[in-house]
Amino acid sequence: MWGITMKNDKASEFSLLKKLPPWARRKYFLVKLEFGARQFTIKDLENFFEERFKQTGNEEFLIKNVGELVAVLSRAGLIKERSDPYDSRRKIYQLVFPEFKAENLNDVLFFLFDHLRVSLNVHDSEKLLLTMLFYKTMSDRWHAFINEHKNSGIHEHEIYLSANEQVLRLYDPENKELLTWKSVVSSKQNINETLAHAFERIAELNLDRGLGGLTHIVNIIYQLDPQKLTQIIEILDLYDLSFYHPKEIGRFYRDFLDTTASFGGKYQGEFLTSRSLRTLLSRLLHIKNNSVVLDPAIGTGSLLIEIALHSSSPGRLLLLGVDTKNWAVTLAAMNALVSGIPNYTFKIGDSLLGTPVEDLLEKFGLTKADYVVVDPPWNLVVSGEVAAVGKNLPYLLDRDNLPSWRSADWLWVQLAAFYSKIKAAVVLHPGALSRSGAEKEIRKTLLSMDIIEAVIQLPQKLLQWTSISPIILVINKEKPKVLHRKVLMINVTEGIEEISRRLIQLKQETIDQIVSTYTSYKEIEGFSRIVSLEELAENDYNLSPQLYVFKRESSKIDTRKLLSALKELLEEDEKLSKEAIVLAEKILEAENR
């Protein structure tokens, strides 16, 4: 039935789940959720299923023969057993895989990714798998919601509508059609057509949630052989993803994006902010509760989502995002939903026009966000539409100096500064800090406004798509007095670990040091320094940290060599002195004649 195998098959939970009949698979996940790493007996299992059925009335807790379930799980290798030391007739059991870890899904997804790349290109393989994982996750959560409420006395139709709003719209009330994974899998129709239809309707029903780009997947589905698509469905169907915590699934989702980006070349890398950078930016901004956070170049959404998850209450934030690409908006929306982020609105548009950002803010009665974070494409050539607006772009802080349309770097900085009430962080190409002309004048303007708080230079090879060292520029509208007319410069040259020959990441202690230095405004020789506006002006408003922060070369002194050299000098001096005396005596003797 499967027709495909995985490496290290015996060691994976995935391979063992394949051996279970569907009824036992669901019961296995229920047992795993209840007992985890705890030991149990058959009597414990009987009590668990009986009590849960009495409490909930849910038929999934009905089981005729617990002993049969234990036998099936034991034969599959999913539980281990030993004799009770106090009663040799009784067995004690324990799960082999006691935790719901998304890492257990890693082998599965990357196996499917490699399997798909035989038939599809890298980008389409990634798109399809991310969408299928999203679809399976949200469908399982939808059905879990239904199971939880179906004995509440509320009409089934009303529960479906409630699940639509609480989880995702996977029920079409107009056509009274279920669009969940389970309904698609159980359909007797052509699997490609059934799945394509489901995605088209889900996209239509969830346009306001940014899922319009799901229609892009339809063409990919039709490219696949039905047998191969069936294999993917059968493998993912082994897991009930409603049991996995949203943070766990979300982290796994982003890890998969991080890894597949390395296959996708420059474009795919620019689409994604690296993991080290996401962690650092999350901690630098330190978002307050009940804040509005905007990313005007949202890409995969990973940066914005991790910033939210780093806050104390992600559910109390409003996340806003804009991107020119329809698929980027949908990918970011899927990323947010699997991560359990409920309050987001992402839309298609060119943020550099200003109006898409303002329209999005206006939807919530706002003119600015509390925080803005953006990792935009470097040296982006602006669109003709943006160039046509020119000096009338609404967010310009320096209308007298328009940067070259061949590089939008300082448009992004001004946009972030203008639309943020508290703080903004922008990832830049290092060249943006020292270029002359209009860009120099814009730097001068922002420095005179005293809103540039810090500039952080990071090591080379931190990004997947370039070896150039990235810069973080921090704007702070609530800048502390200690930095009045000053800028904190941080130059990070050490504290890294290699991932590969072309890629590094920051060590945790390095991130800790950057954040600690930033929050305490500490000066550390060779690492950080507070630079006055006057000194910046003397250097032509160059904001490159390496110009102001560097390690002084300290050479070790070889004492023996030094003493030897001194001895030679003294001996030479003594020799010269003797020669001088002899010469003086000869001169004196000649004069006396």
Side-chain angles (χ1 to χ4, degrees), residues 1-2 191 225-235:
M1 181 180 181
W2 296 93
I191 188 62
D225 178 77
Q227 184 179 359
K228 184 162 286 192
L229 184 58
T230 300
Q231 289 172 341
I232 294 169
I233 289 170
E234 287 175 343
I235 290 172

Side-chain angles (χ1 to χ4, degrees), residues 392-581:
N392 293 318
L393 291 169
Y395 52 82
L396 292 181
L397 299 175
D398 186 341
R399 296 192 179 278
D400 296 325
N401 295 284
L402 280 176
S404 165
W405 298 132
R406 293 193 299 273
S407 175
D409 293 346
W410 283 95
L411 289 181
W412 289 114
V413 174
Q414 291 180 85
L415 183 150
F418 183 82
Y419 290 115
S420 60
K421 284 200 294 187
I422 301 174
K423 194 177 286 191
V426 187
V427 181
L428 290 172
H429 184 288
L433 303 180
S434 58
R435 289 193 287 255
S436 58
E439 292 193 356
K440 170 194 159 184
E441 296 303 319
I442 295 169
R443 294 195 300 272
K444 180 179 177 181
T445 297
L446 268 63
L447 286 166
S448 68
M449 294 171 68
D450 205 14
I451 57 174
I452 297 180
E453 180 181 33
V455 184
I456 303 168
Q457 181 145 13
L458 298 170
Q460 294 179 338
K461 299 196 289 186
L462 191 64
L463 306 177
Q464 290 167 313
W465 55 276
T466 179
S467 62
I468 297 172
S469 57
I471 300 292
I472 298 175
L473 187 139
V474 183
I475 302 283
N476 191 352
K477 302 290 184 66
E478 300 175 353
K479 197 171 170 181
K481 288 183 179 179
V482 69
L483 289 180
H484 176 60
R485 292 180 59 80
K486 296 172 185 174
V487 176
L488 174 64
M489 297 286 182
I490 299 176
N491 186 17
V492 185
T493 57
E494 299 174 335
I496 62 169
E497 51 192 9
E498 282 194 3
I499 297 175
S500 66
R501 187 171 58 86
R502 295 182 177 179
L503 192 64
I504 60 107
Q505 66 181 10
L506 298 174
K507 290 181 178 178
Q508 186 57 51
E509 54 264 35
T510 307
I511 294 175
D512 293 342
Q513 185 183 19
I514 295 169
V515 174
S516 171
T517 304
Y518 168 73
T519 54
S520 64
Y521 320 113
K522 193 186 302 179
E523 290 190 298
I524 302 170
E525 186 175 350
F527 185 76
S528 63
R529 183 169 163 241
I530 294 174
V531 182
S532 69
L533 187 58
E534 290 73 25
E535 186 177 350
L536 292 168
E538 288 171 8
N539 286 289
D540 234 14
Y541 300 99
N542 188 322
L543 292 176
S544 302
Q546 61 186 8
L547 183 65
Y548 306 96
V549 185
F550 48 86
K551 290 198 171 182
R552 300 183 188 280
E553 293 295 331
S554 58
S555 54
K556 269 192 170 183
I557 298 173
D558 189 323
T559 311
R560 290 188 178 183
K561 283 187 177 180
L562 179 61
L563 287 172
S564 177
L566 284 171
K567 189 176 179 181
E568 287 179 10
L569 284 171
L570 288 170
E571 288 174 352
E572 184 68 22
D573 185 56
E574 187 179 354
K575 181 182 176 183
L576 289 172
S577 297
K578 286 180 179 179
E579 289 177 354
I581 291 169

